[in-house]
């Protein structure tokens, strides 16, 4: 990516108003017209539509950004946002598939775990959702009085996860 395009995208993102996304979308559409297959342009445009509440448009742009070759942290963010958008569109199975693939690719990403829990909950897997959050707490809470209980938190997470599996008939 050219430094000038990167800087232009950064400037637009920094100036956005989450309550009035039309100017941001217009600026990104102009760049998209010049760079229709550029991975980060597609990602930023998808995110702007998502923020504006146009999940349908965003859900079509995120995969194009991924296919165009996003890498690193921007790829992780795109996967998270795409899966969350699918959840908001009640496409729970797709959301959970994207999260599963993202977690395989970025196994240490706490943000993916937390937002996957939201999709699990929305999909009716409330025990698994809560278990996921317990795992995050057990793995990432700073050293506190929880230290002595990390193994118990993980055991409870496993127990809760099993409840959803049993409710689904072992699937």
């Amino acid at each position: 990516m050219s430094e000038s395009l990167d800087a232009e995208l950064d400037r637009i993102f920094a100036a956005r108003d989450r309550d009035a996304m039309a100017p941001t979308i217009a600026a990104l559409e102009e760049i998209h017209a010049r760079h229709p297959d550029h991975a980060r342009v597609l990602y930023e445009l998808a995110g702007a539509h998502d923020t504006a509440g146009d999940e349908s448009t965003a859900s079509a742009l995120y995969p194009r950004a991924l296919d165009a070759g996003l890498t690193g942290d921007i790829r992780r963010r795109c996967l998270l946002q795409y899966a969350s958008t699918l959840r908001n569109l009640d496409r729970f199975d797709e959301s959970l598939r994207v999260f599963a693939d993202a977690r395989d690719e970025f196994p240490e990403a706490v943000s993916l775990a937390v937002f996957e829990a939201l999709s699990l909950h929305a999909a009716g897997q409330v025990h698994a959702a809560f278990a996921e959050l317990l795992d995050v707490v057990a793995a990432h809470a700073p050293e506190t009085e929880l230290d002595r209980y990390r193994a118990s938190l993980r055991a409870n997470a496993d127990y809760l996860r099993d409840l959803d599996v049993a409710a689904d008939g072992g699937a």
Side-chain angles (χ1 to χ4, degrees):
M1 174 182 340
S2 72
E3 281 188 41
S4 61
L5 179 56
D6 193 32
E8 188 174 6
L9 291 169
D10 290 343
R11 180 188 55 73
I12 291 168
F13 183 80
R16 77 183 176 144
D17 176 354
R18 293 180 65 89
D19 295 323
M21 289 298 294
T24 299
I25 291 170
L28 290 169
E29 287 286 1
E30 182 180 311
I31 294 171
H32 180 245
R34 297 190 319 259
H35 305 277
D37 298 316
H38 191 280
R40 182 164 175 217
V41 171
L42 290 163
Y43 163 69
E44 298 292 359
L45 184 58
H49 279 285
D50 217 352
T51 301
D54 184 4
E55 285 97 351
S56 181
T57 299
S59 71
L61 289 167
Y62 284 131
R64 288 183 53 205
L66 292 164
D67 291 345
L70 285 179
T71 61
D73 191 55
I74 293 176
R75 180 174 175 80
R76 180 197 52 78
R77 292 189 324 235
C78 185
L79 288 164
L80 185 151
Q81 290 169 221
Y82 178 42
S84 293
T85 296
L86 292 170
R87 178 191 70 241
N88 291 338
L89 292 170
D90 295 336
R91 293 164 55 185
F92 306 126
D93 290 343
E94 292 171 81
S95 174
L96 291 171
R97 274 194 302 276
V98 172
F99 273 122
D101 292 344
R103 299 279 309 277
D104 285 345
E105 190 172 340
F106 300 96
E108 300 301 318
V110 177
S111 59
L112 288 170
V114 171
F115 280 87
E116 182 182 34
L118 291 170
S119 286
L120 286 165
H121 185 271
Q125 298 178 43
V126 296
H127 298 106
F130 191 66
E132 188 67 41
L133 294 176
L134 285 177
D135 284 338
V136 169
V137 169
H140 299 284
E143 292 189 27
T144 66
E145 74 276 4
L146 284 177
D147 285 346
R148 127 178 248 138
Y149 304 105
R150 289 184 199 281
S152 178
L153 286 172
R154 289 185 179 104
N156 277 284
D158 289 341
Y159 168 77
L160 290 168
R161 207 173 279 107
D162 289 344
L163 289 177
D164 278 337
V165 171
D168 287 341

